[in-house]
């Protein structure tokens, strides 16, 4: 019995006492008596005072200690531990040694500005951990290791950011060190953790650019220093020149401008009702070439209304009215059906109402729209109180995997009568539990002919774009009587068709992933223009039968994945990524979290989405609208353009400075720019001109341009030519000014002479 608990030794005078420790997971699995016995608790009298003190000495108080925060000055000093800053500091020291005090002061001032800007932007990460620790005051974070003695409580771990907590202000980079396995969401988080979030294209481009620039510039600097040394110049002079060149060549403002540009894009996107959780995702949107979207609620309105009823004995009724209210009628052969005057129809309505968790109050729906549609139908028939006639004894809840829901009830006024089951769900699921069908109040054995007829009816309702629910009732789940089908309309969202057309014409493939039937899914997809003659539709079952490689071969042609559940989404993503696609995937349920993490852009639904899927997503659509994805893609493409413009601007100045100094050194001329001047130019250039490029409004036609190829480097041939032309103009201009001013003041000649 004690196996389930840990016994922890603690010193007790000369002896050691054992304190039992029991995890909440284990405790939840055990009866109360057993828990009390393991923890040596007395259920009648509680713990004795001495025992309380004893255990408190081991466990501590039932609260979190607030540890002292790292002083701000320490955080500030740590900013100087950057190799480039160290290099500049060394250059300032050398300037002092060489008695160039004005240079030393200017370089130092510039360093202080750079460090302060960085400190204000990268420091001061403040996190609201109230959901985790109950501590309402925001917690400051730093990277300083915490002493083991104060590290017992979560609040004292000020170098750790916890999942599920909210950033109040600031930003920081972190390493994922683990998942909350002991929390309720632990299992889902564990799975999400197994899926590594891929690096975004911008991160990859910037990594590549950084490597290329460092390699080239350090190579050139090495050559210049060698040439200078061979020319007999002093090694200290060459070091100063080397530092100037490093400062000139490395566009240290780039990460800040990229961040600011992305942040401005994120703010613009909030106005378009898309919340982006990870900055670089904004730019990934511009590369997105496949969008996998849920149907219900994203492409369609998720406003369900029953429009058609088919009874198991072959009657067809039409239902009028829209929305969750009693306005509308059920019409059969031109006659209004009300109450119980058509038993076949009222049985369907009764089953739909009893096997239901939704409520309509003052024309407002509380619960799922599919269920709300059935309650509204009952209201139109005057049967909306029918649930009150039954007492629910058991429930088999709906899940996207199972695709049906059932309840077991007894009649309130006939409690001595046997229990009755009601079931509703996808036709092919419900029919598996039926052995008979209702024919004018009688239960007749279900034969193949009936099944074929019902299958046919279900297909024709689906082909009209209706969501089809089958209904059944009976004494046992395996012995149900099939009652009929209802067809529910869920109109496409306005504007989605146009968004789909624009995206498809720009080269973005759109795929619908839905739990609905083939006919319904294909009908809606065709209406929205994302399914054509050449497209294919495959089911969740077919996905199960294929491995990722096989699936990859057919996914380019598949426009609809029907009867799919959340677990299929991950396989769909992997197969698309296998073909080199950049995939955006939408999701709302807890089970979608893993797929959202694996997608290049995980998109969660703001209204219907669960917290877990919002946590896993990169972007949240505030109003669940597909059109917002298009606006986000538009913004992503625009932002990349702005970043590219900034890179062009920065590199032109960097290369110009590098060329100037290289030419001067190689030709044994005086240095036209010293380290301090280069640094100031950099600071000014990183400021207003760079920021203004970041806020350029998005070109309206950019959405029509094809998604950027992931393999394209940010430095295309075209861009390099433009950079070189700009650099040459800057170099010529600067040399001219240097020559003219130097000629007038005699400084140039003096400098050459010396
Ligand atoms: P998506 O939102 O991904 O487009 P969906 O909403 O169409 O998918 P599900 O909600 O998983 O898919 O529904 C799948 C099928 O299950 C539906 O076609 C319907 O037949 C049935 N169904 C849906 N909701 C319920 C419910 N509340 N009770 C019983 N059956 C349901």
């Amino acid at each position: 019995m004690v196996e389930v608990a840990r016994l922890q030794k603690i010193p007790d005078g000369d002896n050691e006492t054992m304190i039992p420790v029991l995890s909440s997971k284990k405790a939840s699995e055990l009866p109360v008596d057993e828990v009390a016995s393991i923890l040596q608790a007395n259920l009648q009298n509680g713990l004795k005072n001495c025992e309380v003190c004893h255990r408190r000495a081991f466990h501590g108080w039932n609260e979190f200690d607030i540890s002292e925060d790292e002083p701000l000055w320490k955080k500030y000093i740590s900013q100087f531990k950057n190799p480039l800053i160290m290099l500049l500091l060394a250059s300032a020291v050398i300037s002092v040694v060489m008695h160039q005090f004005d240079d030393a002061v200017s370089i130092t001032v510039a360093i202080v500005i750079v460090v302060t800007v960085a400190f204000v932007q990268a420091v001061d990460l403040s996190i609201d951990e109230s959901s985790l620790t109950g501590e309402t005051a925001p917690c400051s974070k730093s990277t300083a290791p915490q002493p083991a003695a104060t590290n017992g409580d979560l609040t004292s771990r000020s170098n750790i950011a916890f999942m599920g907590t909210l950033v109040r202000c600031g930003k920081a980079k972190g390493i994922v060190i683990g998942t909350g396995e002991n929390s309720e969401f632990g299992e889902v988080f564990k799975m999400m953790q197994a899926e590594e979030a891929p690096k975004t294209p911008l991160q990859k481009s910037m990594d590549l650019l950084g490597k290329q620039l460092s390699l080239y510039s350090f190579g050139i600097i090495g050559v210049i220093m060698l040439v200078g040394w061979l020319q007999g110049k002093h090694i200290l002079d060459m070091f100063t020149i080397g530092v100037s060149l490093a400062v000139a060549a490395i566009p240290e403002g780039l990460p800040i401008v990229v961040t600011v540009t992305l942040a401005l894009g994120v703010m613009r996107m909030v106005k378009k009702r898309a919340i982006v959780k990870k900055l670089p995702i904004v730019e990934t949107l511009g590369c997105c070439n496949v969008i996998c979207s849920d149907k219900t609620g994203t492409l369609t309105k998720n406003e369900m209304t029953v429009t058609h009823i088919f009874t198991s004995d072959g009657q067809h009724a039409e239902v009028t009215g829209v929305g969750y209210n009693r306005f509308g009628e059920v019409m059969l052969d031109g006659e209004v059906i009300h109450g119980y005057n058509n038993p076949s129809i009222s049985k369907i309505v009764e089953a739909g109402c009893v096997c239901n968790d939704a409520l309509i109050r003052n024309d407002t729906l509380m619960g799922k729209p599919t269920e709300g549609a059935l309650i509204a139908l009952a209201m139109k028939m005057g049967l909306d109180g029918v649930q009150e006639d039954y007492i629910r004894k058991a429930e088999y809840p709906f899940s996207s995997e199972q695709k049906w829901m059932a309840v077991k009830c007894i009649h309130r006024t006939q409690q001595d009568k046997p229990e009755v089951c009601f079931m509703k769900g996808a036709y092919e699921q419900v029919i598996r539990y039926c052995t008979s069908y209702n024919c004018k109040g009688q239960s007749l054995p279900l034969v193949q002919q009936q099944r074929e007829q019902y299958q046919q009816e279900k297909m024709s309702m689906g082909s009209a774009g209706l969501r089809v629910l089958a209904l059944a009732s009976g004494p046992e789940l395996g012995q149900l009587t099939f009652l009929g089908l209802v067809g529910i309309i869920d109109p496409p969202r306005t504007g989605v068709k146009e968004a789909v057309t624009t995206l498809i014409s720009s080269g973005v493939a759109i795929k619908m992933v839905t739990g609905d039937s083939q006919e319904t899914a294909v009908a809606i997809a065709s209406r929205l223009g994302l399914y054509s003659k050449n497209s294919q539709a495959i089911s969740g079952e077919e996905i199960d039968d294929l491995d990722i490689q096989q699936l990859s071969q057919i996914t380019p042609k598949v426009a609809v994945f029907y009867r799919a559940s959340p677990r299929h989404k991950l396989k769909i993503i992997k197969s698309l990524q296998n073909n080199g696609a950049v995939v955006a995937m939408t999701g709302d349920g807890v089970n979608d979290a893993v797929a959202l993490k694996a997608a290049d852009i995980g998109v969660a639904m703001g209204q219907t989405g669960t917290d877990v899927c919002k946590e896993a997503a990169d972007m949240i659509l505030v109003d669940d609208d597909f059109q917002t994805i298009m606006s986000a893609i538009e913004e992503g493409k625009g932002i990349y353009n702005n970043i590219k413009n900034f890179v062009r601007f920065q590199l032109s100045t960097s290369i110009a400075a590098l060329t100037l100094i290289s030419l001067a050194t190689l030709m044994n001329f005086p240095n036209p720019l010293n380290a301090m001047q280069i640094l100031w130019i950099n600071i000014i250039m990183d400021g207003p001109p760079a920021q203004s490029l970041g806020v350029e409004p998005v070109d309206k036609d950019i959405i029509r341009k094809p998604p950027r190829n992931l393999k394209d480097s940010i430095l295309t041939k075209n861009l390099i030519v433009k950079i070189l032309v700009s650099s040459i103009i800057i170099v010529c201009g600067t040399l001219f000014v240097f020559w003219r001013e130097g000629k007038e003041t005699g400084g140039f000649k003096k400098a050459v002479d010396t």
Side-chain angles (χ1 to χ4, degrees), residues 660-719:
L660 263 180
I661 295 164
S662 309
L663 282 177
T665 311
L666 290 175
M667 300 169 90
N668 218 3
F669 282 172
N671 214 346
L673 298 169
N674 59 28
M676 170 199 75
Q677 285 166 331
I678 292 165
L679 202 55
W680 278 110
I681 289 172
N682 267 18
I683 288 171
I684 292 161
M685 292 295 216
D686 287 352
Q691 303 300 336
S692 64
L693 287 173
V695 292
E696 276 280 291
V698 173
D699 180 1
K700 279 282 153 242
D701 271 345
I702 204 151
I703 189 68
R704 285 172 227 293
K705 299 215 170 112
R708 190 172 65 87
N709 189 338
L710 259 186
K711 293 194 184 110
D712 286 353
S713 156
I714 197 162
L715 284 181
T716 54
K717 257 193 201 157
N718 202 356
L719 192 71

Side-chain angles (χ1 to χ4, degrees), residues 63-380:
E63 59 188 33
F64 298 116
D65 285 342
I66 295 169
S67 68
E68 266 194 26
D69 209 3
E70 190 195 0
L72 221 57
W73 63 267
K74 266 197 184 174
K75 291 180 191 171
Y76 186 72
I77 295 293
S78 66
Q79 293 295 306
F80 287 86
K81 292 180 193 159
N82 173 319
L84 200 66
I85 300 290
M86 300 276 236
L87 216 59
L88 288 169
L89 278 175
S91 153
V93 171
I94 289 164
S95 302
V96 173
V97 172
M98 294 167 78
H99 292 272
Q100 291 168 352
F101 296 112
D102 51 346
D103 282 8
V105 170
S106 303
I107 292 175
T108 312
V109 170
I111 292 171
V112 169
I113 293 176
V114 169
V115 166
T116 309
V117 169
F119 176 74
V120 171
Q121 289 181 347
V123 187
D124 273 356
L125 176 73
S126 162
I127 295 188
D128 176 353
E129 293 184 343
S130 55
S131 58
L132 192 69
T133 62
E135 179 57 67
T136 45
C139 218
S140 271
K141 296 289 172 185
S142 72
T143 51
Q146 297 303 302
T150 62
N151 209 13
D153 293 328
L154 292 179
T155 41
S156 64
R157 293 186 199 155
S158 59
N159 51 353
I160 306 282
F162 296 100
M163 183 175 257
T165 57
L166 295 172
V167 173
R168 291 280 294 262
C169 63
K171 74 180 183 86
K173 260 191 201 163
I175 307 164
V176 177
I177 52 167
T179 55
E181 287 181 37
N182 299 322
S183 74
E184 283 294 317
F185 295 142
E187 278 310 305
V188 179
F189 283 153
K190 221 167 117 187
M191 281 168 70
M192 281 159 51
Q193 212 48 46
E195 283 304 322
E196 249 199 45
K199 263 197 172 184
T200 70
L202 185 65
Q203 281 169 328
K204 286 181 195 159
S205 296
M206 286 299 154
D207 282 358
L208 188 71
L209 186 65
K211 274 185 202 152
Q212 284 172 344
L213 286 176
S214 310
L215 204 76
Y216 294 142
S217 45
F218 281 114
I220 296 172
I221 291 164
V223 171
I224 305 265
M225 286 178 75
L226 189 71
V227 171
W229 181 64
L230 290 177
Q231 283 172 346
K233 286 188 180 163
H234 199 273
I235 193 78
L236 260 186
D237 289 348
M238 291 323 297
F239 179 75
T240 319
I241 289 169
V243 172
S244 331
L245 289 175
V247 174
I250 297 164
E252 64 281 358
L254 194 61
I256 296 175
V257 172
V258 169
T259 308
V260 171
T261 310
L262 292 174
L264 290 172
V266 166
M267 278 154 69
R268 281 198 294 264
M269 283 164 75
V270 168
K271 287 191 194 137
K272 293 178 179 172
R273 312 195 63 70
I275 297 168
V276 170
K277 290 175 53 197
K278 296 168 194 162
L279 280 191
I281 285 296
V282 180
E283 183 277 332
T284 313
L285 284 161
C287 300
C288 168
N289 48 18
V290 180
I291 303 174
C292 295
S293 173
D294 286 336
K295 173 179 72 69
T296 313
T298 313
L299 296 170
T300 64
K301 288 186 177 167
N302 204 9
E303 287 166 14
M304 310 261 182
T305 313
V306 176
T307 59
H308 201 94
I309 302 174
F310 168 74
T311 64
S312 51
D313 46 18
Q315 306 176 66
H316 286 272
E318 301 295 330
V319 186
T320 60
V322 181
Y324 306 108
N325 54 56
R326 59 179 66 251
F327 303 113
E329 282 164 343
V330 179
M331 307 285 295
L332 181 77
D333 299 330
E335 264 181 48
V336 176
I337 306 292
H338 203 76
Y340 291 96
N341 66 6
N342 181 315
S344 301
I345 293 182
S346 56
K347 266 184 182 297
I348 291 178
V349 176
E350 179 186 59
C353 239
V354 179
C355 182
N356 202 312
D357 289 323
L359 269 181
I360 296 179
R361 290 267 179 281
N362 303 327
D363 296 349
T364 307
L365 169 69
M366 284 170 273
K368 294 180 188 155
T370 306
E371 300 194 340
L374 294 170
I375 302 281
L377 171 68
M379 288 163 80
K380 289 170 190 173

Side-chain angles (χ1 to χ4, degrees), residues 294-296 368 370-371 398-400 403-405 424-427 467-469 513-517 563-564 569 588:
D294 286 336
K295 173 179 72 69
T296 313
K368 294 180 188 155
T370 306
E371 300 194 340
F398 170 79
S399 77
S400 294
K403 298 186 172 51
W404 58 264
M405 170 188 175
K424 71 176 193 314
Y427 167 75
R467 183 181 180 82
V468 184
L469 274 189
V513 185
T514 177
D516 231 326
S517 67
R563 289 291 187 232
K569 288 187 172 177
D588 49 15

Side-chain angles (χ1 to χ4, degrees), residues 44-61:
Q44 265 73 46
N45 308 323
L47 296 176
K48 287 187 186 141
N49 273 350
C50 60
E51 183 62 18
V52 170
C53 296
H54 191 60
R55 293 197 185 191
R56 189 179 294 141
F58 171 69
H59 291 291
W61 288 93

